[in-house]
Structures are given as C-alpha cells and as structure tokens.
Amino acid sequence: MNTRTSIQGDVGVVTLSGALSFELHQTLKQATHPMLENPAIKVICVELAEVSAMDSSSLGMLLLLREKALAQGKSVELRKPSPIVLRILEVVQFGRLFDIT
Amino acid sequence: MRLLAVDDDAATRLLIRRVLERDGWEVILAEDGPQALALFRTDPPDLVVTDYQMPGMDGVELCRRLVEASEGRFVPLVMLTSGQDSDLLPRSLEAGALEFLNKPVRPEELRSRMRALASLARMHNALAEAQAENEHEITVVKHLLERLTAPGLRTLPPGFVMETLQTRRINGDACAYLRGPRGIHFGLVCDATGHGLVAGVSTLPVLETFNAMAPRDLPLESVYNEVNEKLIRLLPPERFACLLLLRLDPEEGALRILNAGMPDLVHLGPEGEILGRIPSGNLPAGITRHSGTTRVAELRVRPGERIFAHSDGLADLLREEGIRELLLPSRPSVPAGDLPRRLRQSVEGSLLNAEQHDDISWSLWEVPEPHPILPPPPPRNPGRIPTQLGFSVAFEADPRHHDVRDLVPNILGLLGFQGVPRPQVELLGILASEALNNAVDHGLLRLDSRLKGDGFQVWEAARRAAIQSHAGGTVRCEIRLAYSTEGDHRLDHLAVEVSDGGPGFDWRSIRDTREGTEPHGRGLLLLSTLAQDLEFNESGNTLRFRIPCQGPPPE
C-alpha cells in the first residue's frame, strides 16, 4: 500500500493504491492530518485510480475523514474510482456524502 | 355562554332573556319541546332552562330527549315548576334535570343559580378536555411499548407464552422476548412503579436496554446494571422498576434468572409439581448504584419442565392461594400444557367480580428439546441449473498464526489459472476478504465494530489484544467452481462458504446502513448487494454466497 500526497492550490490530494483495508488507517491519518490542519486547504481529494479493492473498514475510514474535514469546513472528494471500486461506493450510497468524480 | 330557554308562556321567556342577557348570557328561545330539540341540535347551548307544563311534550320528556341528543356532552338542565306535584321531583331528576326553579321566576334567584351552573359546566368541560388529552398521550405510550416488544414476542417459540393485560391506563408492566445466538432464549418481565404515563415511560429504557443487550448474549448482570444506571439517571428518585431477566440455554439445560423485586419465579415439573422457587435477590432497578453484588440464580432444567413468572398484578388479583391452586399438579385428565388457558380463564373469571387496578403480566416457558447445533439448511430453488460438476478449494486457519486475508490472493491466483474471468476474480477477492474479516473480528474475536467510531487505532489495538488473548478457533473458507451440467459444461458460478468456530450472530437483526454516516456496519451491505443468494445458517456462524460467471468449459 503506497500513499502519496500533493497540494494543488487549495486542494490537498492523497493518492492511494492497492487493496485498501483497515491497515490503511495509519497512513491515511499521516497523509491527511497536515491537510486538515492547513487552513489554506478547502478540499481534500482522495485519488482512487490505483486502488484495486476496498473493504468496509476502509469505507469507514473515509467517513471518519469526512467528519473531521466537515468540522474544519473542508469537503472531501473521491476521484477516479475503478469500475469495481465505483460499484462498491454505489452500493453504500457514498454519492450522497462525497463528491465522486 | 349560551342558554336555551323553553316556555310556552311568552312573558316568562322574555323575562329570562332580559335578566340573563344583562348578566352576559347569549339567550335563545323556544316555545315548545320540538322547537327546543331542533335548536339544541343546530345551535348547541351550554345550559337549558325549561318549563314543566307545556302542551304536547312536557318538561320531563324534553329533558329525557335532550340528554339523548347531547351525546355525552355535559349540559346542565333546569326545570321551572309552579305546582305542588310531589311526584315531579324524582321524575325530573331521573330524566336528567339538575336544578329546579319556582315560578314565578325571581330575577335575583335566576341569576345566581345560572352563575353557579355555568361555573360547574366550565369545570366539567375542562376536565373532559384534559381527560381526552391524557387518553391520547396514553395511546402514544402504549404504541411505543408495543413497538419495542411486539417484534420479539411475535417470534415466541411454541410452548412459550408471555402476556401483559394492560388496564385502560398504563401501569408499567411489560413482557419482552428475544432469541439470542445459538438458540438461546431471553425474556424480560418488568413492572415499573406508579401508574399512568410515568410508569409507561419508565419501562421504555428497560425495554430498549434489553433489546440492545440480549441478542449479544451479554451477562444478565450487565443488562441489569445498565438498566439500573439508566433509570437512576432518567427517573425521579421515587420511581423505579422491578424486573425479572431470564436466559434459557436449552443446549446446556441451563436457566439463569435475575430477579429484582418481582414475585418468586416458579420452576415446575412436567406434571405441574413445583420443583423450586427463585425469590427476588436484588433491589429493583433505579434505586441505588451501591446495592452490592448482583445475584443471578442458575437452575438445571430439562425438556418438558416449565418456568412461570408473573407481576404482582396477578398476585393482587388471584391472591397467593389462587396462584398456588393454578399451579397444582394437574389431574391426569387435564394436560399440563393447559396452564396458559387455565390462567387466562382464571384471570378473566376474577375480573368479572373486580375491577382491574394494575397491569397483569405473566410468562410461562416450557423448556424445549435442545436443537442440533447446526441444522441443515433447507433445500432452496429446486428449479435452478444443477451444478454437480466442479471442484473446490478451501483453507482453514487460526488467526493467532496467520492473517487469513493474506491467504486470499493465493486462492485468487489459482482461480485465474482456471479461467475464471478477471472481474469475477476481483469481486471474489473483495467479498471473500469482507466475509473473512467478519468471521475473524466478530465471529471469533467478538469485537464490537462500534469501536471504529473511536478511531481506527482504538479498533486496531482492541483487535491485537483480542488475538493475543484468544483461546483458539479457526475460520474456514471454501470456494467452489461450479460448472453447468448442460451443454458444454461451462463455468456457471463461484460458490463461497465462510465459517468460523464462534457462537454466531443474529443475522436477522442486520440493519440497513445506507442512510447513516457511522464508520462501521457496511460489510454485510456489500455482501448482500454484490453477491447473489447470500444466506446464513441458523446460528449465524456460516455464510454462503454465489458469484455468477460465464467461464470456459473445464479442461
């Protein structure tokens, strides 16, 4: 599981890869903590193009991230999910909670 | 207020109008009975003054008709009399008149009598309104109680009876039943202090706690402590609730009882003989946090024996002797299973002679035969394509020694070689991992996924601790490649079975999590939506599902 981060204007991008499961929480926390603290960042974008699978724990982590972001007045976007990941996001109706692009 | 004056004599009518209008009344007039009745219906007054002697319908008859027409509404009726007819007074009272005025009418007397009656009518109406509101509120609380208990009580197995006979008001009784994991039965008989709404409201937290904790098979002590804590927090000091908690494990032949302030629980033999009694060993819930050790009694029970519990409403009605008589060994001609019917008859019989002052609850369980631990699943979908051809791969591992999820990719690789298309392999990887996670985390380790709400590091630490202290047990995963028996025997579907050595869980209580934002509870949603034919065994420690696919024929 590899995680990269970058900042583009007021958007913080976290790029995840591989099969996501609950081990993700450490790396996701390390990657997003500075973004949550940074007032210049308005949107946290989770790049999913290289993610091959997600389990329910990793879905839960996205929800916790969203909750923290909302508390800071930021939003969370999920970007470029693969077909199978998009299907999972649809099943749990994350479209209601996140911008999925 | 509006007053209807009825008299065939125009002078009296006008006198009444003049006197009372000056006192603030709206006065309407009628010359005779039929006219009065018509006005009464179209323009209902708050009070009626009628002459007795009138041609056609007299005052007594008019009163009788007015009472009928008022349909329960309280309208004081006043009779004007001039004669010395000694028979008139009782006949008028019987017909519904409330007051008498002598003719000729004296203005001062008329004014003061009408003022007194007006204030009586106002009080009466205020009381009726308050009562209607109270009854509405009681209906709402009854509905809440029903919502909390009915789903469980509908699943009462044969041989189990639990009933609450409520009074028109509420008196705080409730019965609840739930089926826990591994066929364990949980019961609650509860009697909150006081009457009316407060008693009803007091039972709501008791029921909610029972409903939340019983299906997870938490110890009765914990359920009691939680109820106690909640009631202390929520209720005023003088309010509390007596309760009896039951946990029957037919497999072990063990009945656990926590009696807190309820009448003795009675253990009956198959012939109705009394084998023992369990008196209350604990304070009712909601009194103090410092009542010492919580006492739970344990009884060995055998199939066919019965367990009888009741609230004190039954004791009040039938008296100790009455209950003892009911429980006497039945005569050979009366089958032992007849007790519920005799109970109902006895209660109904006693209620004929007495008003019901308190709710009455009782619970009678006949200890069932133990179940086979894993009953065979019922045959399903007989019409589907028979898929006898195929092979399966399986692994079984102990989570103390292997992270089972690491094994999944190896299996997926193997399936790839067998020509299973890539999308189905991907989906299988996701769903098998999800099912295995559940089997390990919840099935074996009994972790509560609500810990995830506290952040995943809490969850991970709890998981690591649970693995280290885990006594052992394995999870097993089997994947079967099923080929069609028809045509060229192409691959038809993947059948997956994941089981664990834990006690299982109540899959009937799974809730839809799509609407919520809690960070847990979506694993089964994924499985039930993305897989086909998801099913659990009875105890909930084995799940099966299918992934349909169109693959090549076998090599």
Side-chain angles (χ1 to χ4, degrees):
Chain A
M1 214 181 310
N2 253 322
T3 312
R4 299 189 304 275
T5 59
S6 67
I7 293 179
Q8 299 159 6
D10 60 357
V11 180
V13 182
V14 187
T15 306
L16 304 175
S17 61
L20 305 186
S21 68
F22 83 86
E23 286 91 351
L24 172 70
H25 78 90
Q26 277 294 2
T27 46
L28 188 67
K29 197 175 169 186
Q30 279 163 14
T32 54
H33 183 73
M35 297 181 184
L36 288 166
E37 297 291 305
N38 183 346
I41 289 183
K42 299 285 177 240
V43 180
I44 296 175
C45 176
V46 183
E47 174 82 45
L48 297 171
E50 296 164 35
V51 170
S52 57
M54 290 185 77
D55 72 349
S56 56
S57 287
S58 49
L59 293 172
M61 277 166 229
L62 291 179
L63 285 172
L64 285 181
L65 172 63
R66 172 179 174 273
E67 203 172 288
K68 286 183 198 155
L70 286 178
Q72 303 286 336
K74 305 179 199 300
S75 65
V76 179
E77 277 179 17
L78 307 179
R79 207 181 269 177
K80 294 183 201 152
S82 67
I84 182 82
V85 171
L86 180 61
R87 207 166 145 202
I88 290 172
L89 296 174
E90 280 168 357
V91 168
V92 295
Q93 307 206 350
F94 268 24
R96 295 162 178 245
L97 305 172
F98 298 91
D99 280 332
I100 303 176
T101 52
Chain B
M1 294 180 88
R2 187 185 303 126
L3 180 138
L4 170 63
V6 194
D7 202 318
D8 55 323
D9 171 34
T12 311
R13 288 201 303 268
L14 295 177
L15 174 70
I16 292 175
R17 169 182 266 173
R18 212 178 56 238
V19 171
L20 291 182
E21 276 187 347
R22 220 177 291 153
D23 217 25
W25 289 87
E26 180 194 338
V27 181
I28 47 179
L29 303 175
E31 289 173 21
D32 55 21
Q35 200 185 1
L37 276 169
L39 278 172
F40 188 87
R41 291 201 179 92
T42 55
D43 211 5
D46 301 297
L47 211 150
V48 181
V49 180
T50 175
D51 188 23
Y52 166 60
Q53 272 176 326
M54 291 185 292
M57 190 189 299
D58 71 7
V60 172
E61 179 59 22
L62 177 60
C63 283
R64 199 170 290 129
R65 303 255 189 123
L66 287 174
V67 168
E68 273 173 29
S70 62
E71 291 171 337
R73 205 163 62 87
F74 177 69
V75 181
L77 306 177
V78 182
M79 189 78 82
L80 294 173
T81 57
S82 46
Q84 300 294 315
D85 186 351
S86 63
D87 193 28
L88 178 60
L89 183 78
R91 285 201 299 127
S92 304
L93 288 172
E94 208 176 305
L98 201 68
E99 268 286 10
F100 294 87
L101 273 176
N102 284 322
K103 265 179 140 177
V105 175
R106 285 179 298 170
E108 206 40 56
E109 189 188 10
L110 177 67
R111 244 194 307 271
S112 54
R113 286 279 176 93
M114 293 307 116
R115 278 181 198 159
L117 286 176
S119 87
L120 183 68
R122 269 194 291 268
M123 265 160 53
H124 201 282
N125 291 338
L127 208 62
E129 249 170 55
Q131 193 180 358
E133 192 175 326
N134 190 25
E135 266 172 21
H136 172 71
E137 282 166 356
I138 283 179
T139 313
V140 172
V141 172
K142 278 189 175 174
H143 174 75
L144 287 174
L145 289 172
E146 159 99 9
R147 284 269 292 263
L148 285 173
T149 55
L153 291 175
R154 273 200 289 272
T155 66
L156 270 177
F160 284 46
V161 182
M162 296 183 88
E163 286 181 352
T164 296
L165 194 58
Q166 283 176 334
T167 51
R168 246 180 79 244
R169 307 165 61 198
I170 297 174
N171 286 298
D173 270 26
C175 286
Y177 168 86
L178 284 172
R179 187 76 173 270
R182 289 184 297 129
I184 295 176
H185 306 275
F186 291 92
L188 164 76
V189 185
C190 165
D191 182 359
T193 45
H195 303 287
L197 285 180
V198 186
V201 169
S202 307
T203 53
L204 297 177
V206 181
L207 290 169
E208 260 215 325
T209 311
F210 174 79
N211 285 350
M213 298 180 84
R216 291 156 63 201
D217 197 10
L218 293 175
L220 299 186
E221 292 91 334
S222 308
V223 181
Y224 171 80
N225 290 337
E226 181 68 21
V227 168
N228 192 39
E229 184 60 37
K230 268 195 187 159
L231 294 188
I232 287 174
R233 238 176 19 230
L234 295 173
L235 299 187
E238 75 279 12
R239 301 282 182 171
F240 54 85
C242 301
L243 60 139
L244 185 100
L245 291 163
L246 297 171
R247 177 192 185 275
L248 172 63
D249 183 344
E251 217 64 53
E252 305 266 323
L255 173 72
R256 313 193 81 217
I257 307 115
L258 193 156
N259 188 346
M262 294 290 281
D264 293 2
L265 170 132
V266 187
H267 177 199
L268 297 159
E271 303 300 323
E273 69 278 21
I274 294 179
L275 302 176
R277 286 173 177 275
I278 305 293
S280 167
N282 302 281
L283 278 178
I287 296 178
T288 171
R289 292 186 175 91
H290 314 288
S291 61
T293 323
T294 309
R295 287 200 201 98
V296 174
E298 178 144 358
L299 283 179
R300 312 306 305 171
V301 290
R302 278 190 289 254
E305 292 176 355
R306 280 168 304 149
I307 304 143
F308 178 62
H310 62 87
S311 69
D312 64 357
L314 187 72
D316 289 346
L317 187 71
L318 301 184
R319 311 262 160 236
E320 272 306 308
E321 310 85 68
I323 295 178
R324 207 175 306 133
E325 198 177 305
L326 257 180
L327 298 181
L328 278 181
S330 27
R331 292 171 296 280
S333 58
V334 183
D338 242 18
L339 188 49
R341 194 174 56 80
R342 278 164 44 212
L343 236 162
R344 269 179 223 128
Q345 277 177 354
S346 190
V347 166
E348 280 160 19
S350 305
L351 282 179
L352 287 181
N353 308 323
E355 202 187 331
Q356 188 186 346
H357 294 293
D358 198 358
D359 289 350
I360 295 171
S361 304
W362 70 84
S363 161
L364 182 70
W365 289 8
E366 182 170 322
V367 180
E369 295 286 340
H371 264 279
I373 293 179
L374 294 182
R380 301 175 307 111
N381 298 354
R384 69 183 312 123
I385 305 168
T387 48
Q388 302 300 319
L389 284 173
F391 69 95
S392 61
V393 285
F395 63 86
E396 184 166 353
D398 184 327
R400 287 175 303 176
H401 310 307
H402 299 278
D403 191 334
V404 288
R405 288 165 307 174
D406 292 346
L407 300 170
V408 174
N410 295 324
I411 303 278
L412 298 184
L414 178 67
L415 297 181
F417 282 124
Q418 289 299 321
V420 179
R422 193 173 157 76
Q424 276 78 22
V425 173
E426 275 181 0
L427 187 59
L428 175 68
I430 288 167
L431 298 181
S433 301
E434 200 65 56
L436 282 164
N437 278 347
N438 276 343
V440 174
D441 297 351
H442 306 308
L444 281 185
L445 303 179
R446 317 292 297 155
L447 287 166
D448 185 341
S449 56
R450 282 176 294 185
L451 286 173
K452 288 177 182 171
D454 301 328
F456 278 79
Q457 55 274 47
V458 176
W459 166 259
E460 192 176 14
R463 189 176 186 276
R464 211 177 302 120
I467 288 180
Q468 272 166 11
S469 63
H470 185 54
T474 57
V475 294
R476 183 174 186 282
C477 174
E478 178 174 339
I479 298 160
R480 180 176 170 80
L481 280 73
Y483 293 84
S484 167
T485 50
E486 291 167 0
D488 56 2
H489 308 306
R490 280 179 180 277
L491 180 62
D492 182 66
H493 66 266
L494 305 172
V496 183
E497 179 179 292
V498 174
S499 57
D500 64 71
F505 81 113
D506 183 12
W507 46 271
R508 292 175 188 84
S509 67
I510 297 169
R511 279 183 301 194
D512 192 339
T513 50
R514 271 171 291 197
E515 300 287 335
T517 56
E518 300 84 10
H520 59 82
R522 286 178 184 73
L524 287 170
L525 175 62
L526 288 181
L527 281 164
S528 63
T529 316
L530 296 176
Q532 274 195 1
D533 300 336
L534 177 70
E535 61 175 20
F536 296 89
N537 68 343
E538 182 61 27
S539 62
N541 62 3
T542 299
L543 71 78
R544 302 181 191 90
F545 60 87
R546 294 172 179 233
I547 297 174
C549 48
Q550 296 294 315
E555 302 277 309

